[in-house]
Amino acid sequence: MRRRSERGEGQVGVIISLALLAAIGLAAWNVIPVYYDHYDFTDVMEEICRTPRYKARNDKAIMDMLMKEVDNRGLYDWIGPESFEISTSGRNRVIDLYYEREFTVLPGWKMTKEFEYIAEQPLL
């Protein structure tokens, strides 16, 4: 007597689904840190942008603080002094950041992402 649920079919659909899920997981493993690094650094940029005038007398001091954070976070391969544009006026400070970062999504698939951020804070 043969059961109806046993038809002798292979589980190719399950194997393909698992392979697809593994590829999505690997892509997320490679892509999420890139975006996390950017957003974590922009938080620090906002803090540095808020630095009072008595702690950072000129834009060079702000640049030194930014580059120290770039070095601490290991982002110096993508972000350099040329990536920043700093302008301090009497009432506020603006830090403009632009850089491109290339990363591997999946083996054989590289992607270049342009990151841009503007931090603007009042000077106290």
Side-chain angles (χ1 to χ4, degrees), residues 30-54:
N30 291 331
V31 171
I32 289 173
V34 173
Y35 284 89
Y36 177 80
D37 289 344
H38 172 72
Y39 290 114
D40 184 46
F41 185 72
T42 58
D43 287 344
V44 172
M45 257 180 66
E46 289 286 342
E47 290 177 21
I48 291 173
C49 193
R50 269 187 236 117
T51 302
R53 194 180 295 274
Y54 68 88

PDB file of all heavy atoms in Angstrom, residues 30-54:
ATOM      1  N   ASN A  30      28.305  41.458   4.455  1.00  0.00           N
ATOM      2  CA  ASN A  30      29.293  42.332   3.827  1.00  0.00           C
ATOM      3  C   ASN A  30      28.837  43.777   3.707  1.00  0.00           C
ATOM      4  O   ASN A  30      29.668  44.688   3.733  1.00  0.00           O
ATOM      5  CB  ASN A  30      29.634  41.805   2.428  1.00  0.00           C
ATOM      6  CG  ASN A  30      30.408  40.510   2.483  1.00  0.00           C
ATOM      7  OD1 ASN A  30      31.139  40.244   3.421  1.00  0.00           O
ATOM      8  ND2 ASN A  30      30.226  39.678   1.479  1.00  0.00           N
ATOM      9  N   VAL A  31      27.543  44.031   3.567  1.00  0.00           N
ATOM     10  CA  VAL A  31      27.040  45.376   3.288  1.00  0.00           C
ATOM     11  C   VAL A  31      26.717  46.147   4.567  1.00  0.00           C
ATOM     12  O   VAL A  31      27.012  47.345   4.667  1.00  0.00           O
ATOM     13  CB  VAL A  31      25.800  45.302   2.364  1.00  0.00           C
ATOM     14  CG1 VAL A  31      25.130  46.648   2.227  1.00  0.00           C
ATOM     15  CG2 VAL A  31      26.201  44.763   1.003  1.00  0.00           C
ATOM     16  N   ILE A  32      26.132  45.511   5.543  1.00  0.00           N
ATOM     17  CA  ILE A  32      25.698  46.212   6.765  1.00  0.00           C
ATOM     18  C   ILE A  32      26.849  46.935   7.460  1.00  0.00           C
ATOM     19  O   ILE A  32      26.689  48.089   7.861  1.00  0.00           O
ATOM     20  CB  ILE A  32      24.945  45.255   7.703  1.00  0.00           C
ATOM     21  CG1 ILE A  32      23.583  44.920   7.093  1.00  0.00           C
ATOM     22  CG2 ILE A  32      24.783  45.853   9.095  1.00  0.00           C
ATOM     23  CD1 ILE A  32      22.800  43.861   7.840  1.00  0.00           C
ATOM     24  N   PRO A  33      28.047  46.334   7.616  1.00  0.00           N
ATOM     25  CA  PRO A  33      29.136  47.086   8.262  1.00  0.00           C
ATOM     26  C   PRO A  33      29.538  48.364   7.538  1.00  0.00           C
ATOM     27  O   PRO A  33      29.943  49.337   8.174  1.00  0.00           O
ATOM     28  CB  PRO A  33      30.299  46.082   8.290  1.00  0.00           C
ATOM     29  CG  PRO A  33      29.649  44.756   8.234  1.00  0.00           C
ATOM     30  CD  PRO A  33      28.426  44.942   7.393  1.00  0.00           C
ATOM     31  N   VAL A  34      29.413  48.388   6.220  1.00  0.00           N
ATOM     32  CA  VAL A  34      29.763  49.587   5.450  1.00  0.00           C
ATOM     33  C   VAL A  34      28.830  50.738   5.833  1.00  0.00           C
ATOM     34  O   VAL A  34      29.275  51.856   6.100  1.00  0.00           O
ATOM     35  CB  VAL A  34      29.694  49.294   3.934  1.00  0.00           C
ATOM     36  CG1 VAL A  34      29.878  50.568   3.129  1.00  0.00           C
ATOM     37  CG2 VAL A  34      30.726  48.253   3.547  1.00  0.00           C
ATOM     38  N   TYR A  35      27.544  50.463   5.861  1.00  0.00           N
ATOM     39  CA  TYR A  35      26.574  51.491   6.225  1.00  0.00           C
ATOM     40  C   TYR A  35      26.675  51.841   7.710  1.00  0.00           C
ATOM     41  O   TYR A  35      26.537  53.005   8.087  1.00  0.00           O
ATOM     42  CB  TYR A  35      25.151  51.042   5.869  1.00  0.00           C
ATOM     43  CG  TYR A  35      24.876  51.152   4.405  1.00  0.00           C
ATOM     44  CD1 TYR A  35      25.146  50.102   3.535  1.00  0.00           C
ATOM     45  CD2 TYR A  35      24.361  52.321   3.866  1.00  0.00           C
ATOM     46  CE1 TYR A  35      24.900  50.207   2.179  1.00  0.00           C
ATOM     47  CE2 TYR A  35      24.111  52.442   2.517  1.00  0.00           C
ATOM     48  CZ  TYR A  35      24.385  51.379   1.678  1.00  0.00           C
ATOM     49  OH  TYR A  35      24.144  51.501   0.343  1.00  0.00           O
ATOM     50  N   TYR A  36      26.931  50.867   8.554  1.00  0.00           N
ATOM     51  CA  TYR A  36      27.083  51.138   9.986  1.00  0.00           C
ATOM     52  C   TYR A  36      28.275  52.063  10.230  1.00  0.00           C
ATOM     53  O   TYR A  36      28.182  53.011  11.013  1.00  0.00           O
ATOM     54  CB  TYR A  36      27.256  49.831  10.770  1.00  0.00           C
ATOM     55  CG  TYR A  36      27.495  50.078  12.234  1.00  0.00           C
ATOM     56  CD1 TYR A  36      26.430  50.364  13.079  1.00  0.00           C
ATOM     57  CD2 TYR A  36      28.780  50.069  12.771  1.00  0.00           C
ATOM     58  CE1 TYR A  36      26.646  50.620  14.420  1.00  0.00           C
ATOM     59  CE2 TYR A  36      28.998  50.322  14.105  1.00  0.00           C
ATOM     60  CZ  TYR A  36      27.922  50.596  14.930  1.00  0.00           C
ATOM     61  OH  TYR A  36      28.148  50.857  16.245  1.00  0.00           O
ATOM     62  N   ASP A  37      29.403  51.786   9.568  1.00  0.00           N
ATOM     63  CA  ASP A  37      30.584  52.651   9.711  1.00  0.00           C
ATOM     64  C   ASP A  37      30.266  54.087   9.324  1.00  0.00           C
ATOM     65  O   ASP A  37      30.681  55.035  10.009  1.00  0.00           O
ATOM     66  CB  ASP A  37      31.741  52.145   8.842  1.00  0.00           C
ATOM     67  CG  ASP A  37      32.361  50.867   9.359  1.00  0.00           C
ATOM     68  OD1 ASP A  37      32.117  50.513  10.530  1.00  0.00           O
ATOM     69  OD2 ASP A  37      33.079  50.210   8.578  1.00  0.00           O
ATOM     70  N   HIS A  38      29.533  54.256   8.239  1.00  0.00           N
ATOM     71  CA  HIS A  38      29.191  55.614   7.789  1.00  0.00           C
ATOM     72  C   HIS A  38      28.313  56.330   8.815  1.00  0.00           C
ATOM     73  O   HIS A  38      28.601  57.467   9.204  1.00  0.00           O
ATOM     74  CB  HIS A  38      28.490  55.570   6.436  1.00  0.00           C
ATOM     75  CG  HIS A  38      27.949  56.899   6.012  1.00  0.00           C
ATOM     76  ND1 HIS A  38      28.763  57.930   5.602  1.00  0.00           N
ATOM     77  CD2 HIS A  38      26.683  57.372   5.968  1.00  0.00           C
ATOM     78  CE1 HIS A  38      28.020  58.978   5.310  1.00  0.00           C
ATOM     79  NE2 HIS A  38      26.748  58.674   5.517  1.00  0.00           N
ATOM     80  N   TYR A  39      27.245  55.686   9.251  1.00  0.00           N
ATOM     81  CA  TYR A  39      26.327  56.351  10.174  1.00  0.00           C
ATOM     82  C   TYR A  39      26.947  56.557  11.549  1.00  0.00           C
ATOM     83  O   TYR A  39      26.674  57.560  12.211  1.00  0.00           O
ATOM     84  CB  TYR A  39      25.002  55.592  10.258  1.00  0.00           C
ATOM     85  CG  TYR A  39      24.229  55.718   8.978  1.00  0.00           C
ATOM     86  CD1 TYR A  39      23.982  54.617   8.174  1.00  0.00           C
ATOM     87  CD2 TYR A  39      23.788  56.962   8.530  1.00  0.00           C
ATOM     88  CE1 TYR A  39      23.296  54.740   6.975  1.00  0.00           C
ATOM     89  CE2 TYR A  39      23.108  57.098   7.342  1.00  0.00           C
ATOM     90  CZ  TYR A  39      22.864  55.982   6.575  1.00  0.00           C
ATOM     91  OH  TYR A  39      22.193  56.130   5.391  1.00  0.00           O
ATOM     92  N   ASP A  40      27.816  55.650  11.975  1.00  0.00           N
ATOM     93  CA  ASP A  40      28.528  55.836  13.235  1.00  0.00           C
ATOM     94  C   ASP A  40      29.476  57.032  13.131  1.00  0.00           C
ATOM     95  O   ASP A  40      29.573  57.851  14.053  1.00  0.00           O
ATOM     96  CB  ASP A  40      29.305  54.565  13.574  1.00  0.00           C
ATOM     97  CG  ASP A  40      29.991  54.638  14.916  1.00  0.00           C
ATOM     98  OD1 ASP A  40      29.336  55.072  15.895  1.00  0.00           O
ATOM     99  OD2 ASP A  40      31.176  54.256  14.997  1.00  0.00           O
ATOM    100  N   PHE A  41      30.148  57.162  12.001  1.00  0.00           N
ATOM    101  CA  PHE A  41      31.057  58.291  11.826  1.00  0.00           C
ATOM    102  C   PHE A  41      30.304  59.615  11.726  1.00  0.00           C
ATOM    103  O   PHE A  41      30.778  60.637  12.224  1.00  0.00           O
ATOM    104  CB  PHE A  41      31.942  58.085  10.590  1.00  0.00           C
ATOM    105  CG  PHE A  41      32.975  59.157  10.435  1.00  0.00           C
ATOM    106  CD1 PHE A  41      34.055  59.218  11.293  1.00  0.00           C
ATOM    107  CD2 PHE A  41      32.856  60.127   9.465  1.00  0.00           C
ATOM    108  CE1 PHE A  41      35.002  60.226  11.179  1.00  0.00           C
ATOM    109  CE2 PHE A  41      33.787  61.130   9.337  1.00  0.00           C
ATOM    110  CZ  PHE A  41      34.865  61.178  10.197  1.00  0.00           C
ATOM    111  N   THR A  42      29.131  59.627  11.113  1.00  0.00           N
ATOM    112  CA  THR A  42      28.380  60.879  11.028  1.00  0.00           C
ATOM    113  C   THR A  42      27.906  61.340  12.408  1.00  0.00           C
ATOM    114  O   THR A  42      27.816  62.543  12.639  1.00  0.00           O
ATOM    115  CB  THR A  42      27.177  60.758  10.080  1.00  0.00           C
ATOM    116  OG1 THR A  42      26.321  59.711  10.516  1.00  0.00           O
ATOM    117  CG2 THR A  42      27.633  60.524   8.654  1.00  0.00           C
ATOM    118  N   ASP A  43      27.639  60.409  13.313  1.00  0.00           N
ATOM    119  CA  ASP A  43      27.315  60.798  14.685  1.00  0.00           C
ATOM    120  C   ASP A  43      28.491  61.513  15.333  1.00  0.00           C
ATOM    121  O   ASP A  43      28.325  62.529  16.014  1.00  0.00           O
ATOM    122  CB  ASP A  43      26.931  59.578  15.525  1.00  0.00           C
ATOM    123  CG  ASP A  43      25.562  59.039  15.187  1.00  0.00           C
ATOM    124  OD1 ASP A  43      24.777  59.761  14.534  1.00  0.00           O
ATOM    125  OD2 ASP A  43      25.267  57.890  15.576  1.00  0.00           O
ATOM    126  N   VAL A  44      29.685  60.992  15.126  1.00  0.00           N
ATOM    127  CA  VAL A  44      30.888  61.633  15.677  1.00  0.00           C
ATOM    128  C   VAL A  44      31.117  62.982  15.009  1.00  0.00           C
ATOM    129  O   VAL A  44      31.536  63.949  15.657  1.00  0.00           O
ATOM    130  CB  VAL A  44      32.113  60.708  15.507  1.00  0.00           C
ATOM    131  CG1 VAL A  44      33.395  61.412  15.875  1.00  0.00           C
ATOM    132  CG2 VAL A  44      31.936  59.458  16.339  1.00  0.00           C
ATOM    133  N   MET A  45      30.832  63.068  13.713  1.00  0.00           N
ATOM    134  CA  MET A  45      30.954  64.350  13.006  1.00  0.00           C
ATOM    135  C   MET A  45      30.065  65.413  13.627  1.00  0.00           C
ATOM    136  O   MET A  45      30.482  66.560  13.791  1.00  0.00           O
ATOM    137  CB  MET A  45      30.555  64.176  11.538  1.00  0.00           C
ATOM    138  CG  MET A  45      31.693  64.119  10.584  1.00  0.00           C
ATOM    139  SD  MET A  45      31.126  63.904   8.885  1.00  0.00           S
ATOM    140  CE  MET A  45      30.277  65.408   8.555  1.00  0.00           C
ATOM    141  N   GLU A  46      28.839  65.025  13.986  1.00  0.00           N
ATOM    142  CA  GLU A  46      27.922  65.969  14.639  1.00  0.00           C
ATOM    143  C   GLU A  46      28.494  66.445  15.970  1.00  0.00           C
ATOM    144  O   GLU A  46      28.407  67.626  16.302  1.00  0.00           O
ATOM    145  CB  GLU A  46      26.550  65.323  14.861  1.00  0.00           C
ATOM    146  CG  GLU A  46      25.756  65.106  13.606  1.00  0.00           C
ATOM    147  CD  GLU A  46      25.169  66.371  13.023  1.00  0.00           C
ATOM    148  OE1 GLU A  46      25.074  67.396  13.724  1.00  0.00           O
ATOM    149  OE2 GLU A  46      24.790  66.329  11.837  1.00  0.00           O
ATOM    150  N   GLU A  47      29.078  65.532  16.730  1.00  0.00           N
ATOM    151  CA  GLU A  47      29.683  65.915  18.011  1.00  0.00           C
ATOM    152  C   GLU A  47      30.855  66.866  17.803  1.00  0.00           C
ATOM    153  O   GLU A  47      30.990  67.856  18.520  1.00  0.00           O
ATOM    154  CB  GLU A  47      30.153  64.672  18.766  1.00  0.00           C
ATOM    155  CG  GLU A  47      29.035  63.809  19.277  1.00  0.00           C
ATOM    156  CD  GLU A  47      29.547  62.550  19.955  1.00  0.00           C
ATOM    157  OE1 GLU A  47      30.723  62.531  20.387  1.00  0.00           O
ATOM    158  OE2 GLU A  47      28.772  61.597  20.044  1.00  0.00           O
ATOM    159  N   ILE A  48      31.693  66.566  16.830  1.00  0.00           N
ATOM    160  CA  ILE A  48      32.845  67.429  16.558  1.00  0.00           C
ATOM    161  C   ILE A  48      32.373  68.780  16.037  1.00  0.00           C
ATOM    162  O   ILE A  48      32.944  69.819  16.383  1.00  0.00           O
ATOM    163  CB  ILE A  48      33.810  66.742  15.570  1.00  0.00           C
ATOM    164  CG1 ILE A  48      34.467  65.544  16.252  1.00  0.00           C
ATOM    165  CG2 ILE A  48      34.848  67.720  15.050  1.00  0.00           C
ATOM    166  CD1 ILE A  48      35.302  64.685  15.343  1.00  0.00           C
ATOM    167  N   CYS A  49      31.323  68.785  15.264  1.00  0.00           N
ATOM    168  CA  CYS A  49      30.775  70.037  14.730  1.00  0.00           C
ATOM    169  C   CYS A  49      30.276  70.938  15.864  1.00  0.00           C
ATOM    170  O   CYS A  49      30.329  72.153  15.765  1.00  0.00           O
ATOM    171  CB  CYS A  49      29.651  69.721  13.753  1.00  0.00           C
ATOM    172  SG  CYS A  49      29.136  71.101  12.741  1.00  0.00           S
ATOM    173  N   ARG A  50      29.818  70.339  16.954  1.00  0.00           N
ATOM    174  CA  ARG A  50      29.337  71.089  18.117  1.00  0.00           C
ATOM    175  C   ARG A  50      30.458  71.604  19.021  1.00  0.00           C
ATOM    176  O   ARG A  50      30.181  72.286  19.996  1.00  0.00           O
ATOM    177  CB  ARG A  50      28.438  70.188  18.979  1.00  0.00           C
ATOM    178  CG  ARG A  50      27.013  70.272  18.623  1.00  0.00           C
ATOM    179  CD  ARG A  50      26.183  69.493  19.634  1.00  0.00           C
ATOM    180  NE  ARG A  50      25.417  68.521  18.876  1.00  0.00           N
ATOM    181  CZ  ARG A  50      25.509  67.213  18.978  1.00  0.00           C
ATOM    182  NH1 ARG A  50      26.308  66.670  19.830  1.00  0.00           N
ATOM    183  NH2 ARG A  50      24.780  66.434  18.220  1.00  0.00           N
ATOM    184  N   THR A  51      31.696  71.267  18.720  1.00  0.00           N
ATOM    185  CA  THR A  51      32.819  71.656  19.577  1.00  0.00           C
ATOM    186  C   THR A  51      32.862  73.165  19.728  1.00  0.00           C
ATOM    187  O   THR A  51      32.857  73.902  18.738  1.00  0.00           O
ATOM    188  CB  THR A  51      34.149  71.159  18.973  1.00  0.00           C
ATOM    189  OG1 THR A  51      34.075  69.744  18.820  1.00  0.00           O
ATOM    190  CG2 THR A  51      35.317  71.504  19.876  1.00  0.00           C
ATOM    191  N   PRO A  52      32.889  73.643  20.975  1.00  0.00           N
ATOM    192  CA  PRO A  52      32.912  75.103  21.187  1.00  0.00           C
ATOM    193  C   PRO A  52      34.184  75.749  20.644  1.00  0.00           C
ATOM    194  O   PRO A  52      35.212  75.106  20.492  1.00  0.00           O
ATOM    195  CB  PRO A  52      32.836  75.259  22.703  1.00  0.00           C
ATOM    196  CG  PRO A  52      32.617  73.919  23.269  1.00  0.00           C
ATOM    197  CD  PRO A  52      32.850  72.908  22.213  1.00  0.00           C
ATOM    198  N   ARG A  53      34.069  77.028  20.374  1.00  0.00           N
ATOM    199  CA  ARG A  53      35.180  77.770  19.790  1.00  0.00           C
ATOM    200  C   ARG A  53      36.417  77.794  20.695  1.00  0.00           C
ATOM    201  O   ARG A  53      37.542  77.775  20.209  1.00  0.00           O
ATOM    202  CB  ARG A  53      34.726  79.201  19.485  1.00  0.00           C
ATOM    203  CG  ARG A  53      35.670  79.954  18.587  1.00  0.00           C
ATOM    204  CD  ARG A  53      35.175  81.354  18.323  1.00  0.00           C
ATOM    205  NE  ARG A  53      33.941  81.392  17.576  1.00  0.00           N
ATOM    206  CZ  ARG A  53      33.870  81.357  16.251  1.00  0.00           C
ATOM    207  NH1 ARG A  53      34.958  81.254  15.549  1.00  0.00           N
ATOM    208  NH2 ARG A  53      32.717  81.418  15.646  1.00  0.00           N
ATOM    209  N   TYR A  54      36.229  77.752  22.006  1.00  0.00           N
ATOM    210  CA  TYR A  54      37.396  77.810  22.893  1.00  0.00           C
ATOM    211  C   TYR A  54      38.184  76.492  22.896  1.00  0.00           C
ATOM    212  O   TYR A  54      39.356  76.475  23.241  1.00  0.00           O
ATOM    213  CB  TYR A  54      36.997  78.189  24.329  1.00  0.00           C
ATOM    214  CG  TYR A  54      36.192  77.148  25.069  1.00  0.00           C
ATOM    215  CD1 TYR A  54      36.814  76.144  25.794  1.00  0.00           C
ATOM    216  CD2 TYR A  54      34.805  77.175  25.063  1.00  0.00           C
ATOM    217  CE1 TYR A  54      36.071  75.187  26.481  1.00  0.00           C
ATOM    218  CE2 TYR A  54      34.057  76.231  25.739  1.00  0.00           C
ATOM    219  CZ  TYR A  54      34.704  75.244  26.454  1.00  0.00           C
ATOM    220  OH  TYR A  54      33.965  74.305  27.131  1.00  0.00           O
TER     221      TYR A  54
END
